[in-house]
Amino acid sequence: SHPHIYSNVYSHLMHIITQYFSNDTYSEICIYADLLNLFREICSHGNKQNLTDAQKHTVNYDKFVNILSYIDNNYAEDLSLEKVANIANFSKFHFARLFKQYTNSTFYEYLSQKRIMVAQELILKNIPVTDVAFQTGFNNLTTFCRCFKKYVGCPPTQFKIKFENDEKYNDIILMLF
């Protein structure tokens, strides 16, 4: 399955067979040496493969750090999987698979969570819910409210009332801002 090392492995095996059938006094030592060389050849090929995989992983990781930074800075824009995949120079299918692998969430889940985190901050600054929806990249209020409830557990207006009435949370919010 690895033609580029086949000839070296084959020659080591042929030399071992020749040594085995010879009546040389030191044939066992030669066989042992050839076995060690054979293992070295196979292992060095494996290390080259792993290094290549590690290098690929590092390149992909660096791309994803940049992509996550891009999403964090541009969450309010009309971002799509295709657009961000093109920025990263991946096909959208490969990008979706790698995104899930690196973040444990889909692209759209990550984007929605980022938008909702920012929306929570804006709501607590007394910005109207409709304005918050459009400032965080949602195209309509219904979608925003549905998504907000999915990630926060309550609608935006209830979230605002909940935190306005609870002094303990007001102290925490003041520390955050």
mmCIF file with all atom_site columns, all heavy atoms in Angstrom, residues 70-71 74 77-87 92 95 107-108 111 115:
data_model
loop_
_atom_site.group_PDB
_atom_site.id
_atom_site.type_symbol
_atom_site.label_atom_id
_atom_site.label_alt_id
_atom_site.label_comp_id
_atom_site.label_asym_id
_atom_site.label_entity_id
_atom_site.label_seq_id
_atom_site.pdbx_PDB_ins_code
_atom_site.Cartn_x
_atom_site.Cartn_y
_atom_site.Cartn_z
_atom_site.occupancy
_atom_site.B_iso_or_equiv
_atom_site.pdbx_formal_charge
_atom_site.auth_seq_id
_atom_site.auth_comp_id
_atom_site.auth_asym_id
_atom_site.auth_atom_id
_atom_site.pdbx_PDB_model_num
ATOM 1   N N   . TYR A 1 70  ? -13.153 36.326 12.531 1.00 0.00 ? 70  TYR A N   1
ATOM 2   C CA  . TYR A 1 70  ? -13.943 37.008 11.503 1.00 0.00 ? 70  TYR A CA  1
ATOM 3   C C   . TYR A 1 70  ? -15.430 36.986 11.869 1.00 0.00 ? 70  TYR A C   1
ATOM 4   O O   . TYR A 1 70  ? -16.112 38.005 11.772 1.00 0.00 ? 70  TYR A O   1
ATOM 5   C CB  . TYR A 1 70  ? -13.721 36.340 10.141 1.00 0.00 ? 70  TYR A CB  1
ATOM 6   C CG  . TYR A 1 70  ? -14.546 36.952 9.041  1.00 0.00 ? 70  TYR A CG  1
ATOM 7   C CD1 . TYR A 1 70  ? -14.124 38.112 8.398  1.00 0.00 ? 70  TYR A CD1 1
ATOM 8   C CD2 . TYR A 1 70  ? -15.756 36.388 8.641  1.00 0.00 ? 70  TYR A CD2 1
ATOM 9   C CE1 . TYR A 1 70  ? -14.877 38.688 7.396  1.00 0.00 ? 70  TYR A CE1 1
ATOM 10  C CE2 . TYR A 1 70  ? -16.514 36.948 7.637  1.00 0.00 ? 70  TYR A CE2 1
ATOM 11  C CZ  . TYR A 1 70  ? -16.072 38.101 7.017  1.00 0.00 ? 70  TYR A CZ  1
ATOM 12  O OH  . TYR A 1 70  ? -16.836 38.674 6.026  1.00 0.00 ? 70  TYR A OH  1
ATOM 13  N N   . ILE A 1 71  ? -15.927 35.839 12.299 1.00 0.00 ? 71  ILE A N   1
ATOM 14  C CA  . ILE A 1 71  ? -17.339 35.726 12.685 1.00 0.00 ? 71  ILE A CA  1
ATOM 15  C C   . ILE A 1 71  ? -17.625 36.621 13.885 1.00 0.00 ? 71  ILE A C   1
ATOM 16  O O   . ILE A 1 71  ? -18.646 37.325 13.915 1.00 0.00 ? 71  ILE A O   1
ATOM 17  C CB  . ILE A 1 71  ? -17.707 34.258 12.994 1.00 0.00 ? 71  ILE A CB  1
ATOM 18  C CG1 . ILE A 1 71  ? -17.637 33.411 11.731 1.00 0.00 ? 71  ILE A CG1 1
ATOM 19  C CG2 . ILE A 1 71  ? -19.098 34.168 13.624 1.00 0.00 ? 71  ILE A CG2 1
ATOM 20  C CD1 . ILE A 1 71  ? -17.729 31.917 11.976 1.00 0.00 ? 71  ILE A CD1 1
ATOM 21  N N   . ASN A 1 74  ? -17.840 40.183 12.634 1.00 0.00 ? 74  ASN A N   1
ATOM 22  C CA  . ASN A 1 74  ? -18.805 40.481 11.578 1.00 0.00 ? 74  ASN A CA  1
ATOM 23  C C   . ASN A 1 74  ? -20.135 39.759 11.764 1.00 0.00 ? 74  ASN A C   1
ATOM 24  O O   . ASN A 1 74  ? -20.842 39.516 10.792 1.00 0.00 ? 74  ASN A O   1
ATOM 25  C CB  . ASN A 1 74  ? -18.203 40.107 10.214 1.00 0.00 ? 74  ASN A CB  1
ATOM 26  C CG  . ASN A 1 74  ? -16.956 40.889 9.920  1.00 0.00 ? 74  ASN A CG  1
ATOM 27  O OD1 . ASN A 1 74  ? -17.013 42.081 9.686  1.00 0.00 ? 74  ASN A OD1 1
ATOM 28  N ND2 . ASN A 1 74  ? -15.815 40.221 9.969  1.00 0.00 ? 74  ASN A ND2 1
ATOM 29  N N   . GLU A 1 77  ? -23.391 41.060 10.053 1.00 0.00 ? 77  GLU A N   1
ATOM 30  C CA  . GLU A 1 77  ? -23.545 41.007 8.600  1.00 0.00 ? 77  GLU A CA  1
ATOM 31  C C   . GLU A 1 77  ? -24.348 39.776 8.205  1.00 0.00 ? 77  GLU A C   1
ATOM 32  O O   . GLU A 1 77  ? -24.567 38.874 9.002  1.00 0.00 ? 77  GLU A O   1
ATOM 33  C CB  . GLU A 1 77  ? -22.180 40.964 7.918  1.00 0.00 ? 77  GLU A CB  1
ATOM 34  C CG  . GLU A 1 77  ? -21.367 42.221 8.079  1.00 0.00 ? 77  GLU A CG  1
ATOM 35  C CD  . GLU A 1 77  ? -20.017 42.119 7.405  1.00 0.00 ? 77  GLU A CD  1
ATOM 36  O OE1 . GLU A 1 77  ? -19.822 41.208 6.563  1.00 0.00 ? 77  GLU A OE1 1
ATOM 37  O OE2 . GLU A 1 77  ? -19.149 42.936 7.724  1.00 0.00 ? 77  GLU A OE2 1
ATOM 38  N N   . ASP A 1 78  ? -24.721 39.728 6.946  1.00 0.00 ? 78  ASP A N   1
ATOM 39  C CA  . ASP A 1 78  ? -25.439 38.574 6.417  1.00 0.00 ? 78  ASP A CA  1
ATOM 40  C C   . ASP A 1 78  ? -24.412 37.490 6.080  1.00 0.00 ? 78  ASP A C   1
ATOM 41  O O   . ASP A 1 78  ? -23.957 37.384 4.948  1.00 0.00 ? 78  ASP A O   1
ATOM 42  C CB  . ASP A 1 78  ? -26.233 38.978 5.174  1.00 0.00 ? 78  ASP A CB  1
ATOM 43  C CG  . ASP A 1 78  ? -27.089 37.845 4.647  1.00 0.00 ? 78  ASP A CG  1
ATOM 44  O OD1 . ASP A 1 78  ? -27.436 36.943 5.434  1.00 0.00 ? 78  ASP A OD1 1
ATOM 45  O OD2 . ASP A 1 78  ? -27.409 37.866 3.449  1.00 0.00 ? 78  ASP A OD2 1
ATOM 46  N N   . LEU A 1 79  ? -24.032 36.713 7.080  1.00 0.00 ? 79  LEU A N   1
ATOM 47  C CA  . LEU A 1 79  ? -23.026 35.664 6.898  1.00 0.00 ? 79  LEU A CA  1
ATOM 48  C C   . LEU A 1 79  ? -23.708 34.357 6.526  1.00 0.00 ? 79  LEU A C   1
ATOM 49  O O   . LEU A 1 79  ? -24.729 33.998 7.100  1.00 0.00 ? 79  LEU A O   1
ATOM 50  C CB  . LEU A 1 79  ? -22.222 35.459 8.178  1.00 0.00 ? 79  LEU A CB  1
ATOM 51  C CG  . LEU A 1 79  ? -21.363 36.619 8.653  1.00 0.00 ? 79  LEU A CG  1
ATOM 52  C CD1 . LEU A 1 79  ? -20.645 36.259 9.947  1.00 0.00 ? 79  LEU A CD1 1
ATOM 53  C CD2 . LEU A 1 79  ? -20.348 37.007 7.597  1.00 0.00 ? 79  LEU A CD2 1
ATOM 54  N N   . SER A 1 80  ? -23.123 33.674 5.573  1.00 0.00 ? 80  SER A N   1
ATOM 55  C CA  . SER A 1 80  ? -23.621 32.357 5.199  1.00 0.00 ? 80  SER A CA  1
ATOM 56  C C   . SER A 1 80  ? -22.460 31.370 5.251  1.00 0.00 ? 80  SER A C   1
ATOM 57  O O   . SER A 1 80  ? -21.291 31.758 5.221  1.00 0.00 ? 80  SER A O   1
ATOM 58  C CB  . SER A 1 80  ? -24.215 32.374 3.792  1.00 0.00 ? 80  SER A CB  1
ATOM 59  O OG  . SER A 1 80  ? -23.190 32.609 2.838  1.00 0.00 ? 80  SER A OG  1
ATOM 60  N N   . LEU A 1 81  ? -22.796 30.107 5.318  1.00 0.00 ? 81  LEU A N   1
ATOM 61  C CA  . LEU A 1 81  ? -21.786 29.056 5.331  1.00 0.00 ? 81  LEU A CA  1
ATOM 62  C C   . LEU A 1 81  ? -20.911 29.148 4.082  1.00 0.00 ? 81  LEU A C   1
ATOM 63  O O   . LEU A 1 81  ? -19.689 29.055 4.169  1.00 0.00 ? 81  LEU A O   1
ATOM 64  C CB  . LEU A 1 81  ? -22.464 27.683 5.412  1.00 0.00 ? 81  LEU A CB  1
ATOM 65  C CG  . LEU A 1 81  ? -21.555 26.475 5.376  1.00 0.00 ? 81  LEU A CG  1
ATOM 66  C CD1 . LEU A 1 81  ? -20.746 26.381 6.661  1.00 0.00 ? 81  LEU A CD1 1
ATOM 67  C CD2 . LEU A 1 81  ? -22.370 25.213 5.180  1.00 0.00 ? 81  LEU A CD2 1
ATOM 68  N N   . GLU A 1 82  ? -21.539 29.371 2.931  1.00 0.00 ? 82  GLU A N   1
ATOM 69  C CA  . GLU A 1 82  ? -20.799 29.448 1.670  1.00 0.00 ? 82  GLU A CA  1
ATOM 70  C C   . GLU A 1 82  ? -19.816 30.615 1.669  1.00 0.00 ? 82  GLU A C   1
ATOM 71  O O   . GLU A 1 82  ? -18.670 30.470 1.244  1.00 0.00 ? 82  GLU A O   1
ATOM 72  C CB  . GLU A 1 82  ? -21.765 29.591 0.484  1.00 0.00 ? 82  GLU A CB  1
ATOM 73  C CG  . GLU A 1 82  ? -22.630 28.375 0.246  1.00 0.00 ? 82  GLU A CG  1
ATOM 74  C CD  . GLU A 1 82  ? -23.885 28.355 1.119  1.00 0.00 ? 82  GLU A CD  1
ATOM 75  O OE1 . GLU A 1 82  ? -24.157 29.356 1.842  1.00 0.00 ? 82  GLU A OE1 1
ATOM 76  O OE2 . GLU A 1 82  ? -24.575 27.338 1.115  1.00 0.00 ? 82  GLU A OE2 1
ATOM 77  N N   . LYS A 1 83  ? -20.266 31.762 2.152  1.00 0.00 ? 83  LYS A N   1
ATOM 78  C CA  . LYS A 1 83  ? -19.417 32.954 2.155  1.00 0.00 ? 83  LYS A CA  1
ATOM 79  C C   . LYS A 1 83  ? -18.189 32.753 3.045  1.00 0.00 ? 83  LYS A C   1
ATOM 80  O O   . LYS A 1 83  ? -17.058 33.037 2.643  1.00 0.00 ? 83  LYS A O   1
ATOM 81  C CB  . LYS A 1 83  ? -20.221 34.169 2.643  1.00 0.00 ? 83  LYS A CB  1
ATOM 82  C CG  . LYS A 1 83  ? -19.426 35.443 2.680  1.00 0.00 ? 83  LYS A CG  1
ATOM 83  C CD  . LYS A 1 83  ? -20.284 36.611 3.158  1.00 0.00 ? 83  LYS A CD  1
ATOM 84  C CE  . LYS A 1 83  ? -19.473 37.889 3.226  1.00 0.00 ? 83  LYS A CE  1
ATOM 85  N NZ  . LYS A 1 83  ? -20.289 39.029 3.669  1.00 0.00 ? 83  LYS A NZ  1
ATOM 86  N N   . VAL A 1 84  ? -18.392 32.246 4.235  1.00 0.00 ? 84  VAL A N   1
ATOM 87  C CA  . VAL A 1 84  ? -17.281 32.052 5.168  1.00 0.00 ? 84  VAL A CA  1
ATOM 88  C C   . VAL A 1 84  ? -16.375 30.914 4.688  1.00 0.00 ? 84  VAL A C   1
ATOM 89  O O   . VAL A 1 84  ? -15.156 30.992 4.820  1.00 0.00 ? 84  VAL A O   1
ATOM 90  C CB  . VAL A 1 84  ? -17.798 31.813 6.600  1.00 0.00 ? 84  VAL A CB  1
ATOM 91  C CG1 . VAL A 1 84  ? -16.662 31.562 7.565  1.00 0.00 ? 84  VAL A CG1 1
ATOM 92  C CG2 . VAL A 1 84  ? -18.621 33.017 7.063  1.00 0.00 ? 84  VAL A CG2 1
ATOM 93  N N   . ALA A 1 85  ? -16.947 29.879 4.094  1.00 0.00 ? 85  ALA A N   1
ATOM 94  C CA  . ALA A 1 85  ? -16.136 28.791 3.539  1.00 0.00 ? 85  ALA A CA  1
ATOM 95  C C   . ALA A 1 85  ? -15.240 29.315 2.420  1.00 0.00 ? 85  ALA A C   1
ATOM 96  O O   . ALA A 1 85  ? -14.078 28.925 2.311  1.00 0.00 ? 85  ALA A O   1
ATOM 97  C CB  . ALA A 1 85  ? -17.027 27.665 3.034  1.00 0.00 ? 85  ALA A CB  1
ATOM 98  N N   . ASN A 1 86  ? -15.760 30.204 1.599  1.00 0.00 ? 86  ASN A N   1
ATOM 99  C CA  . ASN A 1 86  ? -14.945 30.804 0.532  1.00 0.00 ? 86  ASN A CA  1
ATOM 100 C C   . ASN A 1 86  ? -13.812 31.638 1.099  1.00 0.00 ? 86  ASN A C   1
ATOM 101 O O   . ASN A 1 86  ? -12.704 31.626 0.560  1.00 0.00 ? 86  ASN A O   1
ATOM 102 C CB  . ASN A 1 86  ? -15.810 31.661 -0.391 1.00 0.00 ? 86  ASN A CB  1
ATOM 103 C CG  . ASN A 1 86  ? -16.639 30.827 -1.331 1.00 0.00 ? 86  ASN A CG  1
ATOM 104 O OD1 . ASN A 1 86  ? -16.297 29.692 -1.638 1.00 0.00 ? 86  ASN A OD1 1
ATOM 105 N ND2 . ASN A 1 86  ? -17.745 31.377 -1.782 1.00 0.00 ? 86  ASN A ND2 1
ATOM 106 N N   . ILE A 1 87  ? -14.064 32.349 2.171  1.00 0.00 ? 87  ILE A N   1
ATOM 107 C CA  . ILE A 1 87  ? -13.018 33.146 2.820  1.00 0.00 ? 87  ILE A CA  1
ATOM 108 C C   . ILE A 1 87  ? -11.897 32.232 3.311  1.00 0.00 ? 87  ILE A C   1
ATOM 109 O O   . ILE A 1 87  ? -10.717 32.562 3.232  1.00 0.00 ? 87  ILE A O   1
ATOM 110 C CB  . ILE A 1 87  ? -13.602 33.983 3.974  1.00 0.00 ? 87  ILE A CB  1
ATOM 111 C CG1 . ILE A 1 87  ? -14.516 35.066 3.413  1.00 0.00 ? 87  ILE A CG1 1
ATOM 112 C CG2 . ILE A 1 87  ? -12.504 34.599 4.831  1.00 0.00 ? 87  ILE A CG2 1
ATOM 113 C CD1 . ILE A 1 87  ? -15.341 35.797 4.457  1.00 0.00 ? 87  ILE A CD1 1
ATOM 114 N N   . LYS A 1 92  ? -17.878 24.281 0.858  1.00 0.00 ? 92  LYS A N   1
ATOM 115 C CA  . LYS A 1 92  ? -18.802 24.459 1.989  1.00 0.00 ? 92  LYS A CA  1
ATOM 116 C C   . LYS A 1 92  ? -19.013 23.158 2.757  1.00 0.00 ? 92  LYS A C   1
ATOM 117 O O   . LYS A 1 92  ? -19.183 23.175 3.975  1.00 0.00 ? 92  LYS A O   1
ATOM 118 C CB  . LYS A 1 92  ? -20.134 25.057 1.537  1.00 0.00 ? 92  LYS A CB  1
ATOM 119 C CG  . LYS A 1 92  ? -20.998 24.170 0.707  1.00 0.00 ? 92  LYS A CG  1
ATOM 120 C CD  . LYS A 1 92  ? -22.300 24.869 0.345  1.00 0.00 ? 92  LYS A CD  1
ATOM 121 C CE  . LYS A 1 92  ? -23.214 23.944 -0.419 1.00 0.00 ? 92  LYS A CE  1
ATOM 122 N NZ  . LYS A 1 92  ? -24.487 24.580 -0.727 1.00 0.00 ? 92  LYS A NZ  1
ATOM 123 N N   . PHE A 1 95  ? -15.801 22.549 4.802  1.00 0.00 ? 95  PHE A N   1
ATOM 124 C CA  . PHE A 1 95  ? -15.777 23.561 5.857  1.00 0.00 ? 95  PHE A CA  1
ATOM 125 C C   . PHE A 1 95  ? -16.761 23.212 6.970  1.00 0.00 ? 95  PHE A C   1
ATOM 126 O O   . PHE A 1 95  ? -16.428 23.323 8.153  1.00 0.00 ? 95  PHE A O   1
ATOM 127 C CB  . PHE A 1 95  ? -16.109 24.938 5.271  1.00 0.00 ? 95  PHE A CB  1
ATOM 128 C CG  . PHE A 1 95  ? -16.173 26.025 6.295  1.00 0.00 ? 95  PHE A CG  1
ATOM 129 C CD1 . PHE A 1 95  ? -15.005 26.532 6.856  1.00 0.00 ? 95  PHE A CD1 1
ATOM 130 C CD2 . PHE A 1 95  ? -17.382 26.548 6.707  1.00 0.00 ? 95  PHE A CD2 1
ATOM 131 C CE1 . PHE A 1 95  ? -15.058 27.542 7.807  1.00 0.00 ? 95  PHE A CE1 1
ATOM 132 C CE2 . PHE A 1 95  ? -17.441 27.550 7.650  1.00 0.00 ? 95  PHE A CE2 1
ATOM 133 C CZ  . PHE A 1 95  ? -16.271 28.047 8.203  1.00 0.00 ? 95  PHE A CZ  1
ATOM 134 N N   . PHE A 1 107 ? -21.833 25.702 12.020 1.00 0.00 ? 107 PHE A N   1
ATOM 135 C CA  . PHE A 1 107 ? -21.551 27.104 11.729 1.00 0.00 ? 107 PHE A CA  1
ATOM 136 C C   . PHE A 1 107 ? -22.711 27.983 12.173 1.00 0.00 ? 107 PHE A C   1
ATOM 137 O O   . PHE A 1 107 ? -22.523 29.014 12.826 1.00 0.00 ? 107 PHE A O   1
ATOM 138 C CB  . PHE A 1 107 ? -21.288 27.275 10.221 1.00 0.00 ? 107 PHE A CB  1
ATOM 139 C CG  . PHE A 1 107 ? -21.283 28.706 9.779  1.00 0.00 ? 107 PHE A CG  1
ATOM 140 C CD1 . PHE A 1 107 ? -20.195 29.519 10.037 1.00 0.00 ? 107 PHE A CD1 1
ATOM 141 C CD2 . PHE A 1 107 ? -22.376 29.247 9.113  1.00 0.00 ? 107 PHE A CD2 1
ATOM 142 C CE1 . PHE A 1 107 ? -20.190 30.850 9.640  1.00 0.00 ? 107 PHE A CE1 1
ATOM 143 C CE2 . PHE A 1 107 ? -22.374 30.562 8.713  1.00 0.00 ? 107 PHE A CE2 1
ATOM 144 C CZ  . PHE A 1 107 ? -21.275 31.373 8.972  1.00 0.00 ? 107 PHE A CZ  1
ATOM 145 N N   . TYR A 1 108 ? -23.925 27.595 11.812 1.00 0.00 ? 108 TYR A N   1
ATOM 146 C CA  . TYR A 1 108 ? -25.090 28.418 12.134 1.00 0.00 ? 108 TYR A CA  1
ATOM 147 C C   . TYR A 1 108 ? -25.385 28.447 13.635 1.00 0.00 ? 108 TYR A C   1
ATOM 148 O O   . TYR A 1 108 ? -25.834 29.461 14.165 1.00 0.00 ? 108 TYR A O   1
ATOM 149 C CB  . TYR A 1 108 ? -26.305 27.957 11.334 1.00 0.00 ? 108 TYR A CB  1
ATOM 150 C CG  . TYR A 1 108 ? -26.154 28.316 9.865  1.00 0.00 ? 108 TYR A CG  1
ATOM 151 C CD1 . TYR A 1 108 ? -25.928 27.340 8.905  1.00 0.00 ? 108 TYR A CD1 1
ATOM 152 C CD2 . TYR A 1 108 ? -26.201 29.641 9.448  1.00 0.00 ? 108 TYR A CD2 1
ATOM 153 C CE1 . TYR A 1 108 ? -25.767 27.679 7.567  1.00 0.00 ? 108 TYR A CE1 1
ATOM 154 C CE2 . TYR A 1 108 ? -26.034 29.990 8.115  1.00 0.00 ? 108 TYR A CE2 1
ATOM 155 C CZ  . TYR A 1 108 ? -25.822 29.011 7.186  1.00 0.00 ? 108 TYR A CZ  1
ATOM 156 O OH  . TYR A 1 108 ? -25.652 29.345 5.871  1.00 0.00 ? 108 TYR A OH  1
ATOM 157 N N   . LEU A 1 111 ? -22.792 30.935 15.027 1.00 0.00 ? 111 LEU A N   1
ATOM 158 C CA  . LEU A 1 111 ? -23.172 32.301 14.657 1.00 0.00 ? 111 LEU A CA  1
ATOM 159 C C   . LEU A 1 111 ? -24.366 32.775 15.483 1.00 0.00 ? 111 LEU A C   1
ATOM 160 O O   . LEU A 1 111 ? -24.357 33.902 16.007 1.00 0.00 ? 111 LEU A O   1
ATOM 161 C CB  . LEU A 1 111 ? -23.488 32.360 13.162 1.00 0.00 ? 111 LEU A CB  1
ATOM 162 C CG  . LEU A 1 111 ? -23.922 33.713 12.603 1.00 0.00 ? 111 LEU A CG  1
ATOM 163 C CD1 . LEU A 1 111 ? -22.832 34.761 12.811 1.00 0.00 ? 111 LEU A CD1 1
ATOM 164 C CD2 . LEU A 1 111 ? -24.263 33.577 11.116 1.00 0.00 ? 111 LEU A CD2 1
ATOM 165 N N   . ARG A 1 115 ? -24.499 35.902 18.183 1.00 0.00 ? 115 ARG A N   1
ATOM 166 C CA  . ARG A 1 115 ? -25.478 36.977 18.040 1.00 0.00 ? 115 ARG A CA  1
ATOM 167 C C   . ARG A 1 115 ? -26.331 37.123 19.299 1.00 0.00 ? 115 ARG A C   1
ATOM 168 O O   . ARG A 1 115 ? -26.613 38.236 19.741 1.00 0.00 ? 115 ARG A O   1
ATOM 169 C CB  . ARG A 1 115 ? -26.366 36.707 16.828 1.00 0.00 ? 115 ARG A CB  1
ATOM 170 C CG  . ARG A 1 115 ? -25.650 36.908 15.512 1.00 0.00 ? 115 ARG A CG  1
ATOM 171 C CD  . ARG A 1 115 ? -26.510 36.526 14.332 1.00 0.00 ? 115 ARG A CD  1
ATOM 172 N NE  . ARG A 1 115 ? -25.882 36.924 13.080 1.00 0.00 ? 115 ARG A NE  1
ATOM 173 C CZ  . ARG A 1 115 ? -26.350 36.602 11.886 1.00 0.00 ? 115 ARG A CZ  1
ATOM 174 N NH1 . ARG A 1 115 ? -27.445 35.856 11.770 1.00 0.00 ? 115 ARG A NH1 1
ATOM 175 N NH2 . ARG A 1 115 ? -25.727 37.013 10.805 1.00 0.00 ? 115 ARG A NH2 1
#
